[in-house]
Amino acid sequence: MAPASSRAALPAARRIVVKIGSSSLTRPDGHLDEGALRALVDVLAARVAGPGANGQVVLVTSGAVAAGIGPLGLPARPRDLATMQAAASVGQGQLVARYTEAFAGHGLRVGQVLLTAEDTVRRSRYANAQRSLEKLLALGVVPVVNENDAVTTAELKFGDNDRLAALAAHLVRADALVLLTDVDGLYDGPPSRPGTRRIPHVARLSDVAGVEVTARGSAVGTGGMLTKLQSVRIATGDGIPVVLTRAADAAAALAGEDTGTFFAATGRRTTARRLWIAHAAGTQGRIHLDDGAVRAVRGGRASLLPAGVTKAEGVFDAGDPVELVGPDGVVVARGLVAFGSADLPALLGRTTHALREELGEGYDREVVHRDDLVLEGDGLTP
């Protein structure tokens, strides 16, 4: 499989991840819009099972909490965690039942995949999620992925399914990511402002760095344009192009028509390990570096040695992801630390030779090995 290099290549893309937001799946009264859901399924089913079709689709769907609002008689999307979890529990069953029924009408089966951030923070769970999605696709099943809002906590949330979709696109090595929302692309200003225009093509995200966007989503969703651009950065930095458009234009987008905004891939495919460190892992602490260590790490070929560390913050175990920061407090990289926070202070600022002489073998190793480092410039920050 090869990522789509342009809009024109989208119709031939073998594997795509499609994400749809809550605002595109619910009516103004808060109930699930079954008509919108079936319209989306019709488009995706044609991609998988239509005449001459040979594509694969992973659907990342929001809407569980929104789908539970109506049945529970809630006036609006709940704000407290417990009520949100209850709404998600009620709504997720309804949501998947509707998808199952709609895809079955096209002779397709669906498989529910519920994830929390913990499933990507811990590498074993990350690998399990990857294997599960690959097997479902191999069996001809359409994976329906959602964040597990019924059990998630505020600390472990992905923040929005846009980021989850970008990580899923990496997990399955997708050829393209399509983000469906309630606006028809990225504009050069707030869409409600007179005179603003849709930006049809973005070669690099730095080209639209000055565009005014918002982090606030709709009344039934959580993600605004900012979260979508963050997910675009993750995907395009991993070599996966992105189309951002409204749900009503899904068919046109998949057909390669000029709708929404096409974000070209800017990076190359990376390993699951590096993407996990850069984007999926929640950092457990901070390690402060001196100027010499910053230069060595940024050089890309050096591991972080104890001699270059000035301070450690947080509580972490060996193997946990941590942030590496310079003397100015700016994040330089992320990495997997080789020592726990209880052991590290005794090693700071000391050479590996001195540590080996005093403490023995095993204490003279790197604090973070270069193979376990991802630089900030590699797309670490959104």
Side-chain angles (χ1 to χ4, degrees):
M1 295 182 290
S5 57
S6 65
R7 284 186 187 274
L10 286 171
R14 168 68 172 162
R15 181 177 290 182
I16 59 171
V17 171
V18 176
K19 183 266 178 179
I20 188 164
S22 298
S23 60
S24 301
L25 288 175
T26 54
R27 305 197 306 258
D29 61 5
H31 291 266
L32 185 66
D33 187 339
E34 296 189 26
L37 184 148
R38 289 185 176 277
L40 172 65
V41 169
D42 289 345
V43 172
L44 301 185
R47 185 82 177 197
V48 178
N54 63 349
Q56 296 176 327
V57 170
V58 175
L59 174 60
V60 178
T61 180
S62 299
V65 175
I69 292 175
L72 290 177
L74 302 175
R77 183 184 178 90
R79 294 184 178 274
D80 66 289
L81 181 60
T83 308
M84 184 188 75
Q85 290 173 325
S89 179
V90 172
Q92 184 63 33
Q94 292 202 5
L95 187 64
V96 173
R98 299 300 179 271
Y99 276 124
T100 300
E101 180 183 9
F103 274 106
H106 298 275
L108 294 171
R109 296 162 295 170
V110 304
Q112 178 178 255
V113 180
L114 296 178
L115 298 175
T116 68
E118 185 74 8
D119 296 316
T120 59
V121 169
R122 301 302 175 189
R123 292 184 62 208
S124 61
R125 296 194 187 184
Y126 186 96
N128 287 339
Q130 187 175 47
R131 284 193 296 268
S132 177
L133 289 167
E134 286 290 352
K135 179 55 69 173
L136 287 170
L137 290 169
L139 292 172
V141 176
V142 178
V144 176
V145 181
N146 197 357
E147 184 170 13
N148 194 354
D149 286 319
V151 299
T152 195
T153 65
E155 291 78 12
L156 292 178
K157 285 182 65 63
F158 281 106
D160 188 80
N161 274 351
D162 296 310
R163 180 167 175 251
L164 174 58
L167 292 170
H170 170 83
L171 281 170
V172 300
R173 301 186 67 79
D175 301 317
L177 169 63
V178 178
L179 300 176
L180 301 177
T181 183
D182 52 3
V183 295
D184 61 340
L186 176 66
Y187 277 68
D188 57 9
S192 59
R193 181 184 298 168
T196 57
R197 296 179 296 176
R198 175 176 64 92
I199 303 173
H201 185 95
V202 176
R204 302 185 66 87
L205 277 179
S206 58
D207 296 340
V208 293
V211 172
E212 184 180 345
V213 297
T214 177
R216 189 175 64 182
S218 67
V220 295
T222 60
M225 186 58 69
L226 180 59
T227 66
K228 289 169 178 56
L229 292 182
Q230 290 170 343
S231 70
V232 167
R233 183 179 297 278
I234 294 173
T236 57
D238 190 44
I240 302 170
V242 181
V243 177
L244 170 66
T245 190
R246 59 185 177 183
D249 294 330
L254 294 177
E257 298 178 16
D258 182 15
T259 183
T261 301
F262 180 88
F263 298 86
T266 56
R268 295 179 296 177
R269 300 269 194 186
T270 188
T271 64
R273 180 182 181 83
R274 288 182 60 79
L275 190 92
W276 175 80
I277 295 172
H279 297 293
T283 53
Q284 305 300 307
R286 288 188 138 202
I287 294 180
H288 292 255
L289 285 57
D290 61 25
D291 287 325
V294 170
R295 289 192 296 271
V297 167
R298 281 182 171 160
R301 292 185 296 274
S303 299
L304 175 62
L305 301 176
V309 179
T310 60
K311 183 174 65 172
E313 296 178 348
V315 178
F316 49 83
D317 296 321
D320 279 345
V322 296
E323 288 181 332
L324 308 184
V325 300
D328 54 3
V330 175
V331 177
V332 176
R334 277 189 181 186
L336 304 183
V337 64
F339 298 92
S341 55
D343 297 324
L344 194 55
L347 315 180
L348 303 187
R350 305 174 67 179
T351 66
T352 53
H353 176 75
L355 291 171
R356 182 170 58 252
E357 289 290 322
E358 182 177 341
L359 300 176
E361 293 186 5
Y363 287 92
D364 57 348
R365 64 186 185 274
E366 304 88 348
V367 174
V368 180
H369 192 276
R370 64 184 181 185
D371 292 341
D372 294 331
L373 276 173
V374 176
L375 299 179
E376 187 275 341
D378 289 341
L380 174 63
T381 54

